[in-house]
Amino acid sequence: FESFYDNGQMKSEGSFTAGKSSGAWKYYNRDGKLEREGAFKDGNEEGVWKEYSDAGLTSRQMNYSGGWLDGDAVYYDEGKLWSKIVYNKSEVMSFEYYDKSGQVVSQGKRDSKQMLFRSMYPQGTPMREGVYTNNGMEGKWKRWSPFGVLIEEENYVNGVMDGEQRYFHNTGQLKTIFNYRNGHKNGVAREYYLNGQLFKQTVYNNGEQNGYYFEYYPDGTLSEKYYTIEGTTNGLLTYYDVVGRKSISY
């Protein structure tokens, strides 16, 4: 089997057995450079898979068993070792992160109950931090930009999002707030401009928009509103001009 991009370059090559991906497969970018290669068994990744940068350097080498990450996964930055993570059926069991000089800057190993996970950028600054338990991610997880700015605060219960989730612009200002229940968006969600003004507000119920949606201009003037029921617009959709006058409804 072979597939191609619209520019004629090969996109992927491999084989199928009984309708499932089987044996060696290779994937290429639009310029014809190898991006990813490995093997399938019964439609699932199996054994060693490698990913490559545009420069042709190995960026990741991972081990799979039955489609699960299993065993060592090694990550590189510009050809230099960046991290080693050991998985058991895609669950993180231990980790090590290295700076550009090759020194270990973060490491951990899961005990019988939990593990504090802290990933690091190649320059040695924090990237993500939180706790893994036997049920998955738990409690508050944080993510930082490469420049040290907090950009995510997420809350988990038994491996799924639950509670308030906060995301920030790269400058540090609040960007969005969502509320989750058992892995689904629930309640009021808000998005903000860089100047702090409200950009969008809507309501979710079990992952679907359910209620009024409002959108605003950067100065706080209402620009759009409509009502949804179970993710579908219901009733009038109304737009407003920059001075707040109704411009169109349908």
Side-chain angles (χ1 to χ4, degrees):
F1 172 83
E2 294 179 345
S3 66
F4 297 86
Y5 291 103
D6 54 13
N7 64 0
Q9 290 284 0
M10 183 176 287
K11 185 176 183 179
S12 65
E13 58 178 334
S15 59
F16 291 91
T17 300
K20 296 180 180 180
S21 301
S22 177
W25 276 74
K26 292 184 178 181
Y27 299 85
Y28 304 86
N29 65 19
R30 293 181 63 86
D31 296 323
K33 294 180 179 178
L34 182 63
E35 279 189 330
R36 187 171 183 248
E37 63 177 340
F40 286 94
K41 182 179 179 181
D42 296 327
N44 297 311
E45 293 99 333
E46 188 73 25
V48 177
W49 278 75
K50 291 184 178 181
E51 296 182 12
Y52 303 92
S53 68
D54 288 341
L57 300 172
T58 301
S59 59
R60 298 181 183 182
Q61 180 172 307
M62 298 160 288
N63 284 277
Y64 286 88
S65 178
W68 298 94
L69 280 168
D70 204 72
D72 294 344
V74 184
Y75 302 81
Y76 301 88
D77 177 65
E78 298 179 345
K80 293 184 178 181
L81 179 62
W82 172 28
S83 69
K84 293 180 182 178
I85 300 177
V86 177
Y87 291 92
N88 179 20
K89 291 187 176 179
S90 294
E91 291 188 6
V92 177
M93 304 306 293
S94 65
F95 66 93
E96 288 184 347
Y97 281 85
Y98 304 82
D99 64 16
K100 289 183 178 293
S101 69
Q103 297 296 311
V104 176
V105 290
S106 181
Q107 61 183 336
K109 185 175 182 180
R110 183 176 296 197
D111 60 22
S112 60
K113 294 182 179 179
Q114 64 181 40
M115 176 182 67
L116 175 62
F117 180 83
R118 173 178 279 188
S119 60
M120 309 291 284
Y121 288 103
Q123 66 266 31
T125 58
M127 181 169 66
R128 201 173 191 204
E129 181 179 281
V131 171
Y132 278 110
T133 70
N134 292 334
N135 295 319
M137 300 163 77
E138 190 72 30
K140 187 180 293 294
W141 278 71
K142 296 181 179 182
R143 184 189 294 272
W144 293 266
S145 75
F147 306 103
V149 178
L150 180 66
I151 54 175
E152 292 181 6
E153 282 186 340
E154 298 176 332
N155 287 282
Y156 291 83
V157 175
N158 294 329
V160 298
M161 285 186 173
D162 197 280
E164 187 176 82
Q165 321 296 326
R166 296 164 64 90
Y167 301 90
F168 303 85
H169 292 283
N170 285 327
T171 51
Q173 289 98 327
L174 182 63
K175 182 179 181 181
T176 54
I177 299 178
F178 296 104
N179 286 281
Y180 275 71
R181 184 184 301 157
N182 295 325
H184 300 287
K185 291 178 181 177
N186 264 284
V188 178
R190 297 183 177 92
E191 184 173 347
Y192 297 87
Y193 288 104
L194 267 172
N195 65 4
Q197 287 283 358
L198 183 62
F199 176 27
K200 300 176 182 178
Q201 179 174 305
T202 190
V203 179
Y204 286 90
N205 181 35
N206 201 32
E208 294 185 327
Q209 278 187 255
N210 207 62
Y212 274 109
Y213 170 91
F214 299 98
E215 191 167 316
Y216 300 86
Y217 292 107
D219 66 355
T221 303
L222 182 65
S223 65
E224 178 183 339
K225 73 174 182 179
Y226 59 84
Y227 194 84
T228 59
I229 297 177
E230 296 181 348
T232 302
T233 303
N234 186 278
L236 288 177
L237 195 160
T238 306
Y239 294 94
Y240 300 84
D241 64 20
V242 293
V243 295
R245 295 174 301 194
K246 186 185 296 186
S247 61
I248 187 171
S249 294
Y250 61 88

